[in-house]
Amino acid sequence: MMIIAGNFKTNHTRSSTLSYAKGLNQFLRDRQFGAEVYLFPPMSALAYDDFSHFSIGAQNAYPVCGGAYTGEIGLDQLNELQIKTLMIGHSERRVLLGESDQICQRKFEFFAHHGMNIFLCVGESLEVRQAQKVREFLALQLSGIDLSYARLIVAYEPIWAIGTGVSASLIEIQETHAILKDLGCSRVVYGGSVNPQNAREIMSLDGVDGVLVGGASLRLESFCEIIENGEMK
């Protein structure tokens, strides 16, 4: 079963996300796809109707139940909204907001202890790839993570391919997913300029268990096409 997730990042409003989610739910209900579908909207759009054919996830949370952490949300808020899925360590948070591997490990440990579904994002810079240090870099990002945790999905997103329109080559994707599998990751999805034109080829590769889609998920029609491609791989 393919895992197909859409990350809105800081796009869409509460009202536009609700409209999108209703359309996505209808699409999945009508076609009875076998894919495991997730949607990560902005924080302001997390609380709305329950959708039975896909799961809503949070793009970030702080590893506490609650407390004096201005600007963050914790487990209490996620539980109230019935959010059971969380993204940790997206490269934009690592690069722009300085989230370290240690912070990501703390988040993983806390939310795994509370049974959350976790998308853990990993990926190297172009400099690391050119230096042929990809395996060592990914191993460091996974250090301290319980890779046997049954609710873990590792999202491989090479930093140099996120939002650039340039996806990694099929050979690069397959080789890197093989590295992650060898390191002990059970379920690994690819993210990095995934779109309707390349999604089917990417999802057909050995070791690729699905995709995490950024910009191409912002339009419902585009995201639905990617889901269809996952069914036809």
Side-chain angles (χ1 to χ4, degrees), residues 5-9 11 157 191-194 212-219:
N7 177 18
F8 284 179
K9 306 185 182 183
N11 294 290
E157 294 193 307
S193 296
V194 177
L212 175 58
V213 187
S217 72
L218 299 182
R219 291 180 58 252

Side-chain angles (χ1 to χ4, degrees), residues 28-154:
L28 295 172
R29 181 173 62 227
D30 289 348
R31 289 161 179 78
Q32 296 294 309
F33 286 127
E36 194 175 324
V37 179
Y38 297 85
L39 200 63
F40 292 90
M43 293 297 186
S44 62
L46 285 178
Y48 45 72
D49 299 343
D50 177 45
F51 297 103
S52 56
H53 295 277
F54 68 94
S55 299
I56 296 288
Q59 297 176 15
N60 176 56
Y62 201 71
V64 293
C65 291
Y69 303 95
T70 301
E72 296 285 349
I73 64 171
L75 184 66
D76 289 346
Q77 290 77 37
L78 295 178
N79 283 341
E80 182 183 38
L81 300 174
Q82 299 182 42
I83 300 297
K84 302 299 182 184
T85 302
L86 175 66
M87 184 184 297
I88 294 174
H90 191 280
S91 65
E92 290 163 354
R93 295 196 60 84
R94 292 178 187 263
V95 173
L96 299 176
L97 300 174
E99 287 196 356
S100 65
D101 291 339
Q102 291 71 32
I103 291 174
C104 294
Q105 291 162 18
R106 283 178 52 208
K107 289 183 177 184
F108 173 81
E109 290 173 0
F110 179 84
F111 289 105
H113 176 74
H114 291 280
M116 296 283 285
N117 303 312
I118 294 173
F119 279 68
L120 175 68
C121 299
V122 299
E124 80 285 356
S125 66
L126 186 58
E127 291 75 18
V128 169
R129 176 161 289 275
Q130 290 175 336
Q132 300 183 351
K133 299 291 186 181
V134 174
R135 183 185 180 93
E136 294 88 339
F137 186 84
L138 296 177
L140 282 174
Q141 288 190 313
L142 294 170
S143 177
I145 302 296
D146 179 7
L147 299 179
S148 68
Y149 180 59
R151 298 177 183 270
L152 173 64
I153 297 170
V154 173

